[in-house]
Amino acid sequence: MERRVRVRFAPSPTGPLHIGGVRTALYNYLFARQHGGDMILRIEDTDSTRLVPGAEDYINEALQWLGIGIDEGVREGGKYGPYKQSERRDLYRKYTQQLIDAGRAYYAFDTPEELEAKRAEIKNFQYDARTRGMMRNSLSLPAEEVKALMDSGVKWVVRFRIEPDQDVVVHDLLRGDVTINSSILDDKVLYKSADDLPTYHLANIVDDHLMEVSHVIRGEEWLPSAPLHVLLYQAFGWEDTMPAFVHLPLLLKPDGKGKLSKRDGDRLGFPVFPLDWNDPKSGERSSGYREAGYLPQAVINFLALLGWNPGDDREIFSMDELIKEFSIDHCSRKGAKFDFEKGKWFNHEYLMNMDNNELAQMFKPVLEQHGVNLADYSDEYITEVVALVKSRANFVCDLWDQANFFFERPATYSEKDIRKRWKPETPELMHQLASLLENADTNDAQACEEMVMDWIDKNGLHKGNVMNAFRLTVVGECRGPHMFEITRLLGRDEILARLEAGIENIKLPAENA
Ligand code: GLU
């Protein structure tokens, strides 16, 4: 029988979710949805020293913003819960005991100082089959002494007893079989009496097994742990339900040299986190894609293609299309360069294709931030403005720079454009243009344009100079969309007022006189 696809995203709430973690979550989600399977969100909070308040909420909020749906988790519930490891202590105790009883794990009493001394004494010391006999543990000490130590309440750990010289094979769907020799592994700590909690390795395996996880899709930084995980599955006798592994390549710095870090983002001015984050301990702020003005669909599309490709040159994919097309076979084994310019490009593409009404709604808060009284403008007006200028914007907030003159008169006029376009005869020409427009139907952009062009032709005027001077009075500089579309939207009265203000306020520069 085909096994039901069940995947998990298993972050540790030790800080904001890095964008690489978001990609891992996304690939898990795509894989689950494609196979009609389940997506689990498991909070791995067993390392109590590294927990950061707010990190778990941050993870939930980020996944929600991005539309990465969770079927089972702390918030969602589910029949395999609890989904937070700190609430599963009894299970880890039970399974640790099972390994001890089967002779696959043992108690160790070595203090940090003793371990340190051994490391100083023996070069490349590793706690394993060769050295465990010289250490203080339940394999080397007499049973009575072990009992006495346990009764005395000293701190102990449980270590995994690794048999040396065995080939351990990790079946990785992306990398093929990865084989290593067990002699290079140390007897990893699985449990610590100090905080009565398991380590990552034990908790991770027990939960993957109990939650019936079929595929473990995670970052390649976990590949070195995978042989140990395979051995743990075997030690428990769970080989038959061992998940298939997929270790995704790293996200690399934009120049491809090394792993992408928060510092790269700070240095080059792009976020490496999905949402803004204020570190409660250091007070340090990190910027996120959401607050930087990215659309979640654009971030998803961008991340999907960092490590996966459709096999052809298509680049724009909705979530539904990704669910259909994603495949592990088309994931890359090489690290993916984080090309944040491409991220901006994706955002631009999504902005361009967005419904103008929707975009207008998103633009409203930006308008308010710039002191625009929304009551003065209809939704239709804002929608038309957005439609006219969006091709020049990468982000919703960029729309303001492109469209500010639709909401306020120019307070100043570009010096450079004045020098280029404002001649001694310009004020008079603008007067004539104003009289012409007084009788024009400005609502009909085309008719209005024809009328003005006719006047320019008949009088043998320089079209560039006239139109640019006109633009200068209305916009404040020589930029913006089609002049007669601007005229139509602003309306005759406003255009005439701006022409008049321009004539009044634009001073002829000395060199043009
Ligand atoms: N808790 C680990 C992390 O923070 C999970 C690794 C895994 O997926 O096995 O990424």
Side-chain angles (χ1 to χ4, degrees), residues 7 89 113 135 166 278 330 342 350 394 414 447 453 468:
V7 295
R89 289 165 190 258
E113 295 74 30
M135 307 304 289
Q166 291 178 334
N278 292 319
H330 276 126
K342 192 80 197 188
Y350 276 84
N394 285 336
S414 152
M453 290 307 130
N468 277 294

Side-chain angles (χ1 to χ4, degrees), residues 484-499:
F484 291 96
E485 289 298 332
I486 299 177
T487 305
R488 177 176 67 81
L489 274 179
L490 286 176
R492 185 170 38 213
D493 291 351
E494 181 63 22
I495 290 289
L496 293 179
R498 290 190 189 195
L499 271 168

Side-chain angles (χ1 to χ4, degrees), residues 141-153:
L141 300 171
E144 315 80 69
E145 195 175 336
V146 171
K147 184 168 184 315
L149 279 167
M150 300 284 290
D151 291 346
S152 76

